[in-house]
């Protein structure tokens, strides 16, 4: 057995090397590359992707997995997990024909260009025929897989292994009315002032402050770095090389701090993955939702908490004495948690964020089911925005066309953003049960016990356990919304005196 296992690990190690080399190229494209480099870079990444695909779908891999699967089934060992995860990827990769992948690349490239134009002119009709083609391809993709309980299950499973559409719908159906009720209560309460957040702040000082914060979190600069890009993201080249990126928006200068905390949350997860999993599919995080639970925890449960700012605010005030003159820590805390129904998810506060996600999930499921005509999307979008968030987009550019994802066929993962929020609150309740003086530690700028807990219970397992199993193992229950509702209610009852 160990002979075959070694052969499998050798091939998967090479596949991992190729994929991570492609990630380096992609990171460089977004951080350093001059504009004219795009075409060659696209070819280079496509070549690496093609070689990785050929290697990972070879008959040899299929044979090795078949043999090892039987020998290792039922075991909780790392090797059994490796074979299980690799088998699932092999099965997915070999079901989708190469011609389909090529067709998809052509359709989505054109769709992306049409989306840019449609959004610019705020004209859905430009994007409509392209989106129809994209959705047609998504349905075709689903047809390569055995029928599931719901066709959307096949898409969701790519991002959230083992999760079913019906599970997510049930979680959201339970959560939605509670969040809508909370937002209504907040909107009739006395509003929070936040003008001082939109004054002029020095970019370099904000950037340095963001790095000081994540250093205290435990971000290892010997194994990571932060660079500037148009959109913040995190990427991993190895357990010893994890990159985050960030930006500075003059209109919301302190957003840089929260982006750094968010992306560092992703990076801490990757830096804590078991080094023994390197060059295997077990390295890194188990799913998008669990990954997002880490980023949202550091950004929100830690970074938007009062104890956190009781520690950091005096230093922040020292860096920005005129901007924050006369602003108490409590006023600052309220301002960074201000609830304001907004048109766009990326700027949404914690109280409204999940509703943006639910809206998209319902539309994606509707598109996949063919429950409505794609041409009716703008109207459906606006109606749901009114129902859930209480505002109507003034045009389609800020409505149905706001996000790029559908143009490149990325349908199936929006719900993981909201699930990540729910998991972060479930974990937080558990952590507070285990670390009784957590608030006090945060107030002293101490994060080592928190990071140690996350390392031991979540990070070290990498991809070994499926997300629902991991959450169950750590918290005693599967993903649900109760902890998140308790968290939001407690937080906003204080801030808005509800
Ligand atoms: Mg994220």
């Amino acid at each position: 057995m160990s002979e075959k296992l070694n052969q499998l690990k050798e091939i998967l190690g090479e596949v991992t090397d190729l994929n991570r080399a492609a990630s380096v190229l992609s990171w460089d494209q977004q951080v350093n590359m001059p504009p004219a480099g795009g075409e060659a870079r696209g070819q280079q990444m496509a070549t690496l992707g093609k070689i990785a695909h050929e290697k990972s779908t070879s008959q040899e891999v299929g044979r090795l997995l078949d043999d090892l699967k039987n020998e290792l089934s039922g075991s909780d060992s790392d090797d059994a997990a490796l074979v299980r995860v690799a088998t699932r990827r092999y099965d997915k990769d070999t079901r989708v024909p190469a011609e389909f992948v090529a067709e998809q690349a052509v359709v989505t490239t054109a769709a992306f260009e049409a989306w840019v134009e449609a959004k610019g002119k705020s004209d859905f009709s430009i994007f409509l025929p392209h989106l129809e083609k994209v959705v047609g391809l998504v349905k075709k993709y689903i047809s390569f897989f055995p029928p599931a309980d719901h066709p959307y299950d096949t898409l969701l499973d790519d991002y959230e292994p083992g999760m079913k559409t019906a599970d997510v719908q049930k979680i959201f159906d339970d959560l939605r009315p509670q969040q809508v009720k909370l937002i209504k209560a907040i909107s009739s309460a006395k509003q929070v002032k936040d003008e001082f957040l939109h004054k002029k702040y020095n970019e370099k000082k904000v950037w340095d402050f963001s790095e000081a914060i994540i250093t205290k979190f435990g971000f290892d600069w010997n194994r990571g770095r932060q660079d500037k890009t148009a959109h913040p993201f995190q990427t991993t080249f190895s357990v010893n090389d994890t990159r985050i990126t960030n930006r500075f928006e003059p209109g919301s200068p302190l957003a840089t701090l929260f982006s750094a905390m968010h992306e560092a949350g992703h990076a801490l997860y990757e830096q804590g993955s078991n080094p023994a999993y390197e060059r295997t599919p077990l390295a890194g995080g188990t799913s998008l939702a669990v990954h997002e639970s880490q980023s949202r925890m550091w950004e929100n449960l830690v970074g938007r908490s009062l104890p956190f700012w009781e520690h950091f605010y005096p230093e922040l005030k020292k860096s920005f004495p005129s901007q924050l003159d006369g602003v108490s820590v409590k006023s600052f805390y309220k301002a960074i948690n201000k609830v304001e129904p907004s048109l766009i998810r990326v700027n949404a506060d914690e109280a409204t964020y999940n509703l943006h996600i639910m809206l998209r999930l319902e539309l994606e499921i509707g598109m996949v089911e063919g429950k409505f005509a794609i041409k009716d999307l703008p109207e459906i979008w606006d109606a749901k925005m009114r129902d859930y968030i209480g505002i109507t987009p003034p045009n389609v550019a800020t409505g149905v066309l706001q996000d790029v994802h559908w143009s490149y066929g990325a349908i199936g993962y929006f719900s993981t953003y909201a699930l990540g929020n729910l998991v972060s609150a479930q974990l937080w309740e558990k952590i507070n049960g285990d670390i009784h003086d957590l608030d006090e530690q945060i107030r002293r700028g101490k994060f080592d016990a928190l990071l140690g807990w996350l390392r031991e219970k979540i990070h070290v397992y990498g991809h070994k356990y499926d997300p629902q199993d991991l959450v169950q193992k750590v918290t005693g229950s599967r993903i649900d919304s109760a902890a998140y509702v308790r968290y939001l209610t407690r937080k906003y009852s204080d801030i808005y005196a509800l």
Side-chain angles (χ1 to χ4, degrees), residues 11 23 62 84-85 91 102 158 186 196 234 243-244 275 303 307 320 326 329-330 352 375 382 420 446 480:
I11 300 171
S23 298
R84 194 182 63 244
V85 171
D91 183 56
D158 285 350
I186 291 172
F196 48 86
Q234 180 272 325
R243 310 288 174 97
I244 63 173
F320 303 104
V329 64
K330 191 78 198 260
T352 55
K375 70 170 174 46
D382 289 358
K446 292 287 203 192
D480 79 43

Side-chain angles (χ1 to χ4, degrees), residues 262-263 266 292 295 417:
H262 182 100
E263 302 307 335
H266 285 302
E292 197 70 6
S295 56
Y417 288 122

Side-chain angles (χ1 to χ4, degrees), residues 212-498:
I213 290 174
I214 64 175
T215 302
K216 284 226 173 176
F217 282 178
F219 183 83
D220 184 348
W221 294 96
N222 201 29
R223 301 192 290 140
R225 51 182 287 142
Q226 177 174 248
D227 293 274
K228 196 171 175 180
T229 44
H231 298 281
F233 67 92
Q234 180 272 325
T235 184
T236 301
F237 308 147
S238 80
V239 72
N240 291 321
D241 189 352
T242 291
R243 310 288 174 97
I244 63 173
T245 70
N246 204 342
R247 66 177 162 196
F248 182 79
E249 301 162 283
S252 315
L254 298 188
T256 300
L257 302 181
F258 296 98
S259 284
M261 295 185 225
H262 182 100
E263 302 307 335
H266 285 302
L268 289 168
Y269 190 2
E270 297 280 328
Q271 289 183 338
S273 170
N274 186 346
Y277 294 164
E278 278 302 280
R279 297 183 80 238
T280 81
L282 294 186
T286 188
S287 73
L288 290 190
V290 177
H291 235 298
E292 197 70 6
S293 79
Q294 301 303 292
S295 56
R296 299 287 282 179
M297 181 184 292
W298 290 101
E299 176 193 357
N300 292 327
L301 289 123
V302 175
R304 286 183 215 271
S305 74
L306 188 55
F308 177 90
W309 286 106
E310 281 167 347
H311 178 77
F312 281 102
Y313 191 63
E315 285 174 53
L316 188 73
K317 229 174 149 164
K318 233 182 272 167
S319 297
F320 303 104
S322 65
Q323 292 87 341
L324 297 170
D325 184 34
V327 178
S328 69
V329 64
K330 191 78 198 260
S331 303
F332 181 79
Y333 164 70
K334 287 183 178 182
I336 58 170
N337 284 292
K338 182 178 180 166
V339 174
E340 200 162 29
S342 62
L343 293 166
I344 315 260
R345 164 188 60 90
V346 291
N347 303 323
D349 53 78
E350 286 182 89
T352 55
Y353 188 93
N354 286 345
L355 296 169
H356 288 271
I357 303 302
M358 292 177 201
L359 179 158
R360 282 171 183 73
L361 178 73
E362 288 168 32
L363 296 191
E364 288 191 354
I365 290 175
M367 284 193 269
V368 167
E369 286 176 338
K371 214 164 68 184
F372 47 73
I374 308 290
K375 70 170 174 46
D376 296 331
L377 267 184
E379 259 171 56
I380 301 172
W381 178 287
D382 289 358
K384 284 193 191 289
M385 278 296 285
R386 270 191 298 277
D387 275 4
Y388 296 174
I389 300 178
I391 45 179
T392 306
N395 50 52
V396 286
T398 54
V400 68
L401 290 175
Q402 64 178 249
D403 272 318
V404 63
H405 309 68
W406 290 342
S407 78
Y408 51 75
I411 293 181
Y413 81 81
F414 261 121
S415 63
T416 66
Y417 288 122
L419 295 173
N421 287 330
L422 307 188
V423 174
S424 72
Q426 287 179 275
L427 293 175
W428 196 248
E429 287 193 350
K430 185 73 186 152
I431 294 166
N432 276 278
D434 289 350
I435 307 173
H436 294 289
D437 64 341
L438 182 60
D439 273 2
E440 190 43 46
Q441 292 191 24
I442 293 175
R443 202 170 280 121
R444 284 186 283 119
K446 292 287 203 192
F447 303 96
D448 44 333
L450 171 61
L451 181 59
W453 191 99
L454 293 169
R455 287 263 194 267
E456 181 195 332
K457 311 279 186 188
I458 306 281
H459 300 176
V460 73
Y461 291 115
H463 217 294
K464 179 170 179 175
Y465 298 110
D466 279 353
Q468 285 279 31
D469 297 336
L470 183 65
V471 173
Q472 169 93 47
K473 180 174 148 66
V474 175
T475 69
S477 65
R478 293 166 80 77
I479 300 176
D480 79 43
S481 64
Y484 194 66
V485 171
R486 281 193 286 276
Y487 160 69
L488 281 187
T489 307
R490 201 179 321 118
K491 183 169 189 173
Y492 289 109
S493 297
D494 170 45
I495 293 173
Y496 284 92
L498 302 177

